[in-house]
């Protein structure tokens, strides 16, 4: 029986998962990059690690890092030369378990022992993912350590909506949001606040969070607002989050 492949350790999921060349790229096939390939680019090209340092950070052999890095660079090259869109998704990885070796690295975003790994918010309604970000009255907030949910609570939005919601999430130190429909304006506000978005989701909030942590969440990286004609004067879909 073949030995199972060792999962690659990554510090966190990428803040931005999709890139394109505008209208020129809309009819071109998407280049898919696994998350662990992105991690080699982040560590070596962005942070300046060598292959040995990267392999130690990711907990895999140097030859594995070399193969991942070469594949990632080739994907990026095809995007630049052929004008193809890039989507970072999937792979065989696990979120960093915050061991002592990792904590000594200046490149790890989790430098303090015992710090919170992730805080995930989900637009919430009676156990389900609420489908209109700009009108959600509640978020369910999950605290995650060692890639496991250690606590969860439901918080209200105090009647606030649309652009103000990104501020509420930022005040709660949320780094990841799962939701249904969301408009371009709200997406920009989340990006400015450093919050990673997983939109276009539905079903159970709890199950969505578990799927995210397992790397198997079904979401739509191109989610946008389709909510027209609802009687608001001067409404444009880019102004707020809706489905």
């Amino acid at each position: 029986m073949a030995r199972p492949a060792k999962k690659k350790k990554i510090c966190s999921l990428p803040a931005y998962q999709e890139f394109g060349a505008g209208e020129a790229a809309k009819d071109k096939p998407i280049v898919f990059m696994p998350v662990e390939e992105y991690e080699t680019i982040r560590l070596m090209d962005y942070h300046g690690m060598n292959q040995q340092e990267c392999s130690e950070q990711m907990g895999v052999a140097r030859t594995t890092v070399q193969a991942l890095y070469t594949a990632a660079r080739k994907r990026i090259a095809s995007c630049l030369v052929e004008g193809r869109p890039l989507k970072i998704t999937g792979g065989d990885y696990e979120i960093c378990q915050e061991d002592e070796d990792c904590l000594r690295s200046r490149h790890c975003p989790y430098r303090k022992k015992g710090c919170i790994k992730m805080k995930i918010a989900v637009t919430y309604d009676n156990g389900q993912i609420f489908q209109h970000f700009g009108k959600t009255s509640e978020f369910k907030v999950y605290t995650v350590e060692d890639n496991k949910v250690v606590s969860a609570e439901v918080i209200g939005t105090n009647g606030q909506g649309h652009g103000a919601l990104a501020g509420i999430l930022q005040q709660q130190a949320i780094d990841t949001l799962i939701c249904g429909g969301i408009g371009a304006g709200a997406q920009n506000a989340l990006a400015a606040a450093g919050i990673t978005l997983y939109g276009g989701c539905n079903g159970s909030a709890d199950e969505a969070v578990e799927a995210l942590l397992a790397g198997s969440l079904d979401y739509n990286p191109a989610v946008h607002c389709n909510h027209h004609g609802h009687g608001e004067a001067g409404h444009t879909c880019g102004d707020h989050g809706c489905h």
Side-chain angles (χ1 to χ4, degrees), residues 99-185:
D99 56 51
E100 292 297 331
D101 289 337
C102 181
L103 290 170
R104 287 197 290 270
S105 172
R106 67 184 184 277
H107 306 296
C108 182
Y110 311 111
R111 300 180 185 179
K112 184 178 179 182
K113 188 66 177 175
C115 71
I116 293 173
K117 287 266 187 177
M118 296 176 69
K119 287 191 75 173
I120 304 171
V122 183
T123 50
Y124 192 71
D125 180 35
N126 194 31
Q128 302 295 301
I129 300 171
F130 187 67
Q131 291 300 299
H132 305 271
F133 173 80
K135 296 183 178 181
T136 188
S137 61
E138 293 180 327
F139 290 104
K140 189 167 183 178
V141 176
Y142 302 78
T143 299
V144 177
E145 295 181 2
D146 296 332
N147 208 39
K148 297 179 181 178
V149 175
V150 296
S151 66
E153 63 175 331
V154 176
I155 64 171
T157 60
N158 299 319
Q160 299 186 66
H162 304 156
L165 294 178
I168 292 175
L169 296 176
Q170 193 171 27
Q171 290 172 6
Q172 292 288 326
I174 302 299
D175 53 57
T176 303
L177 171 70
I178 297 173
C179 69
I182 182 170

